[in-house]
Amino acid sequence: MKLKVFLFLLLASSSSFAQQTRFQVKGQGLDTKGHGIQNVVVNDGVHFTVTDASGNWTIDTDTLYSKFVSISTPSAYKLPQRDGLAIFYKPMRDVVKTSNNKFILERRKKPCTSFSYIAISDPQVLNEDEMNRWRNETVRDLRHVTDSLDKQREVVGMTLGDLVFDNMPLYNEYKQSCKNLGLTMFQTIGNHDFDKKYQDLQNMRIGAPIYAEHFYNQYFGPTDYSFNIGDIHVITMKNINYVGHKKYIEAVTDAQLAWLEHDLSYVPKGSTVFINMHAAGWNKYNNSGNFKGASDVAELLKDYKVHFFCGHTHYFQNIVVNPNFFQHNIGAACGAWWAGNLSVCGAPNGYLVVDVNGIDVKWHFKPTGGSFSEQFRVYMPGKFRTQPGMVVANVWDWDPDCKVTYSIDGVEKGNMEQFADIDDDYIYQQNRIGKKVTPERLTGHLFRCTPDKGAKKITIMFTNRFGEKYSRTYSL
């Protein structure tokens, strides 16, 4: 009998020390005058709600799975930020301690119908030398661009993953680099942004106090979130299933697909959606890294006009998935891992500047340290090792609605022939530092032609999908 009483008391004592994980959390969405904002979408990564007429919101949450509460900022309000980094979330460890969880938003004086969206793929800094290149080259270039843009329009930045190269202490320096850029910077998590000692939250033991995203979360908040600006709904999602020690699978989970479906339920069909993930989904060349679940994502987005921004590959690959779905796989800010000034496809280090006017979307690649007019590079006969006697053009931001034509001594000759190969300058860059180039590093945006015998000049013309023309003339 005494043993039974002892066991009962032991179990009762143990249960009293069991950690509570389920909570009903509350808060408000308020403007700067303290007035409630209605219909602000709030979520904890699993559950969604909207604020009522007084701005109040309530969510039943489980802290085993939900680590943040975040809002999808309505387009009528400015994107909240601190020192250049977007602040749209509250850590759940703080939220559960109070019902005074306020998201305070500043109403815009007028609708933001025009803005610029700068998509930056793979800064991927490994050490102080590479951080200095990021600061002194990319950030400095960004500052010049944003200085010219923010006189006319608001500027939003979005890094597309691999902010660092498995070196978590560099997050603080990355954060500092975003100050005074003249934009609001958002982030996407990439495979090198995890603490390699751990698996990610979905793979760790339920209730584990630490997991691979913990450093990223500390600096940048949740990995799946959304916001609104102008007529655009912007979504960012993790598509790296991280199993630890630099091993991962490019994939989204069923839970994430449910989150995406719920987020889109608040977005009118027919709207334009920007979606950001690290890994590509529809690449035709080097496509082994296409993420699992891409077709499910496309299905959920079938009623929207979609621009899908991604990195991971360190090369350009634009894919028209369908007439309403365009994938921008962007060359890296670090190029081929800071080996030089070129990405794997031969595109210069740089980033994509997207100009939005209402629902009209145009984009232009900006080479770091170069000008917007630099949209292709040309190899004269004998300069591209596999194409003797031919002129070759590398047109990095090409897509099927673009044209690459040529003329000889003022006589138009028509389209250049598209082919796939390894960019010659990329080979030279890698060989210079003692690195071999593997044969699968194919570039699909190469074009060639054979100049007429005795010709003196050749003009290469790139016409993008917006009808804008870029031309250069060379002596043969």
Side-chain angles (χ1 to χ4, degrees):
M1 181 66 182
K2 289 181 179 180
L3 180 59
K4 290 181 179 179
V5 171
F6 173 76
L7 290 173
F8 173 80
L9 292 173
L10 181 63
L11 289 170
S13 175
S14 298
S15 64
S16 68
F17 288 101
Q19 184 177 4
Q20 181 183 356
T21 66
R22 295 182 179 180
F23 298 85
Q24 185 177 81
V25 293
K26 299 179 179 182
Q28 286 182 297
L30 302 173
D31 64 21
T32 52
K33 296 180 180 180
H35 301 143
I37 306 172
Q38 190 173 11
N39 291 328
V40 178
V41 178
V42 185
N43 82 91
D44 67 351
V46 180
H47 309 96
F48 283 71
T49 190
V50 293
T51 55
D52 65 17
S54 299
N56 298 312
W57 58 265
T58 301
I59 290 179
D60 292 323
T61 194
D62 189 333
T63 58
L64 292 176
Y65 307 99
S66 299
K67 304 301 179 183
F68 293 91
V69 172
S70 66
I71 60 168
S72 188
T73 304
S75 60
Y77 294 83
K78 294 183 178 181
L79 298 170
Q81 57 94 10
R82 184 184 304 123
D83 293 330
L85 290 179
I87 302 293
F88 54 91
Y89 57 88
K90 294 181 183 295
M92 192 63 78
R93 65 176 179 272
D94 298 329
V95 171
V96 298
K97 296 176 183 177
T98 178
S99 60
N100 191 33
N101 296 298
K102 296 177 180 177
F103 290 99
I104 299 176
L105 300 174
E106 181 180 353
R107 179 175 281 278
R108 296 182 182 277
K109 293 179 180 178
K110 59 181 181 179
C112 180
T113 55
S114 299
F115 66 95
S116 289
Y117 186 86
I118 301 181
I120 309 161
S121 162
D122 299 80
Q124 204 161 337
V125 289
L126 175 64
N127 50 43
E128 282 298 328
D129 287 342
E130 293 179 0
M131 177 58 75
N132 285 334
R133 286 198 66 185
W134 161 255
R135 278 192 296 248
N136 296 329
E137 296 175 25
T138 313
V139 172
R140 182 174 295 174
D141 196 82
L142 275 167
R143 189 172 290 117
H144 289 313
V145 170
T146 55
D147 283 348
S148 65
L149 288 173
D150 68 9
K151 294 179 176 63
Q152 314 161 38
R153 53 178 59 212
E154 187 169 338
V155 185
V156 176
M158 178 66 72
T159 50
L160 298 170
D162 286 359
L163 284 61
V164 298
F165 198 161
D166 304 311
N167 191 345
M168 303 297 102
L170 288 177
Y171 273 143
N172 189 57
E173 292 187 57
Y174 168 85
K175 176 183 176 181
Q176 295 302 316
S177 75
C178 294
K179 286 185 177 180
N180 306 314
L181 267 178
L183 52 71
T184 302
M185 186 73 86
F186 292 82
Q187 278 65 228
T188 310
I189 195 167
N191 53 291
H192 290 292
D193 294 323
F194 295 86
D195 186 337
K196 61 187 178 184
K197 297 190 294 294
Y198 306 97
Q199 296 179 314
D200 61 16
L201 179 63
Q202 72 187 33
N203 289 311
M204 288 289 285
R205 173 181 55 83
I206 294 176
I210 198 164
Y211 40 89
E213 303 98 313
H214 70 106
F215 276 119
Y216 179 94
N217 289 159
Q218 176 185 337
Y219 283 95
F220 311 115
T223 57
D224 296 354
Y225 60 88
S226 69
F227 62 92
N228 302 276
I229 178 168
D231 295 317
I232 310 297
H233 183 67
V234 183
I235 300 169
T236 297
M237 294 180 68
K238 165 181 173 284
N239 69 349
I240 300 296
N241 183 339
Y242 197 78
V243 296
H245 304 288
K246 299 187 181 182
K247 296 180 180 178
Y248 59 90
I249 301 167
E250 294 94 344
V252 292
T253 66
D254 290 342
Q256 286 184 287
L257 292 171
W259 181 93
L260 176 59
E261 183 176 19
H262 212 154
D263 180 83
L264 290 170
S265 71
Y266 299 100
V267 183
K269 292 182 178 180
S271 300
T272 299
V273 174
F274 287 2
I275 185 163
N276 310 280
M277 296 189 188
H278 183 55
W282 296 270
N283 280 350
K284 295 179 180 178
Y285 295 99
N286 308 301
N287 60 9
S288 61
N290 286 349
F291 76 92
K292 294 177 175 61
S295 59
D296 297 313
V297 169
E299 177 64 21
L300 289 172
L301 289 159
K302 66 182 180 181
D303 295 319
Y304 301 90
K305 298 173 184 176
V306 179
H307 289 272
F308 183 95
F309 299 95
C310 54
H312 191 41
T313 59
H314 297 248
Y315 57 72
F316 253 104
Q317 198 163 164
N318 292 328
I319 302 293
V320 179
V321 180
N322 63 54
N324 289 317
F325 196 122
F326 192 103
Q327 176 192 273
H328 307 260
N329 192 186
I330 302 166
C334 73
W337 302 271
W338 298 110
N341 297 306
L342 300 177
S343 281
V344 174
C345 67
N349 300 4
Y351 47 90
L352 195 70
V353 178
V354 184
D355 295 314
V356 181
N357 293 286
I359 59 172
D360 182 53
V361 180
K362 292 183 178 180
W363 56 90
H364 303 87
F365 181 69
K366 173 62 172 67
T368 302
S371 73
F372 283 104
S373 65
E374 297 173 35
Q375 295 297 313
F376 60 88
R377 180 171 61 256
V378 171
Y379 298 89
M380 289 292 100
K383 298 298 184 181
F384 201 101
R385 79 215 175 285
T386 65
Q387 308 295 317
M390 304 195 84
V391 174
V392 174
N394 187 336
V395 189
W396 30 84
D397 201 15
W398 177 89
D399 69 67
D401 284 343
C402 300
K403 292 181 180 180
V404 183
T405 58
Y406 72 106
S407 59
I408 299 290
D409 293 334
V411 179
E412 293 185 6
K413 295 292 186 176
N415 295 326
M416 296 181 74
E417 179 190 8
Q418 187 175 10
F419 71 105
D421 204 337
I422 304 172
D423 180 77
D424 226 69
D425 278 3
Y426 168 68
I427 293 175
Y428 174 78
Q429 172 182 275
Q430 299 307 101
N431 289 344
R432 182 174 52 83
I433 59 174
K435 292 187 176 181
K436 293 183 179 180
V437 175
T438 53
E440 70 271 10
R441 299 290 199 186
L442 291 177
T443 295
H445 44 73
L446 295 172
F447 299 82
R448 63 192 173 194
C449 67
T450 303
D452 298 340
K453 190 174 181 179
K456 295 180 179 180
K457 290 185 181 295
I458 184 170
T459 299
I460 308 297
M461 174 82 74
F462 168 52
T463 306
N464 68 15
R465 62 167 38 230
F466 311 115
E468 298 164 343
K469 299 181 183 298
Y470 303 84
S471 66
R472 292 183 187 176
T473 300
Y474 303 86
S475 297
L476 291 165

